[in-house]
Amino acid sequence: MRIASEICLRNYRSSSEIPAALEEAGFTLVPGMDEGVSEVTGPRIFGWVAPNENYCSFQAQDVSLDDTMAMGRSLADTLFPGMVQEGHPERGLASPCDGLSIFAPQSLIWVHYSAAGNSGECNVDGTSAILLSM
């Protein structure tokens, strides 16, 4: 999950390069149900990337939400030192899953979290998802 998230964050200004970078890293991409969206699979993760929408999302069934949050914070601080604040860009921090706002050069990136699956809930069930809106 860390490698896939890092690829998306490193390519936030050139999102069209994200699919090729993921494939070079060993992930498998296939066309998703929606136009412009690719499904991503790799060791222990699955997810989606939508370069035209500047969006990446990765999920793991065996990584805890706490571990994903720690990974997201570490990655954000490493790639964007001094540009990271807690919480949603507009609403601040209402729950731990509101994540981080990264005030990157020429872009605002929102890193947020949920349990794996489609609910988007901030449940602690042993699964996790990281969502990157760039």
Side-chain angles (χ1 to χ4, degrees):
M1 189 182 296
R2 182 182 177 90
I3 293 169
S5 297
E6 183 173 348
I7 288 169
C8 285
L9 288 172
R10 284 191 183 275
N11 289 287
Y12 79 95
R13 291 175 69 181
S14 54
S15 59
S16 63
E17 297 175 17
I18 292 172
L22 287 167
E23 287 178 326
E24 285 178 29
F27 294 94
T28 301
L29 278 72
V30 297
M33 291 176 48
D34 295 325
E35 185 162 339
V37 177
S38 295
E39 293 182 13
V40 180
T41 56
R44 299 176 54 206
I45 72 160
F46 61 96
W48 303 267
V49 294
N52 294 341
E53 298 176 27
N54 297 325
Y55 179 82
C56 299
S57 175
F58 306 106
Q59 302 185 14
Q61 294 294 322
D62 61 349
V63 178
S64 73
L65 194 53
D66 285 341
D67 288 345
T68 297
M69 289 179 183
M71 179 272 302
R73 182 62 197 223
S74 172
L75 190 56
D77 286 338
T78 299
L79 296 175
F80 303 97
M83 296 181 238
V84 182
Q85 292 182 2
E86 296 286 327
H88 185 280
E90 296 175 358
R91 298 186 300 268
L93 188 62
S95 81
C97 289
D98 286 330
L100 312 167
S101 295
I102 303 171
F103 295 89
Q106 300 177 344
S107 187
L108 172 64
I109 302 168
W110 182 36
V111 178
H112 52 119
Y113 312 98
S114 71
N118 294 327
S119 73
E121 295 291 323
C122 189
N123 295 332
V124 179
D125 64 1
T127 70
S128 63
I130 186 167
L131 301 95
L132 310 163
S133 301
M134 301 169 277

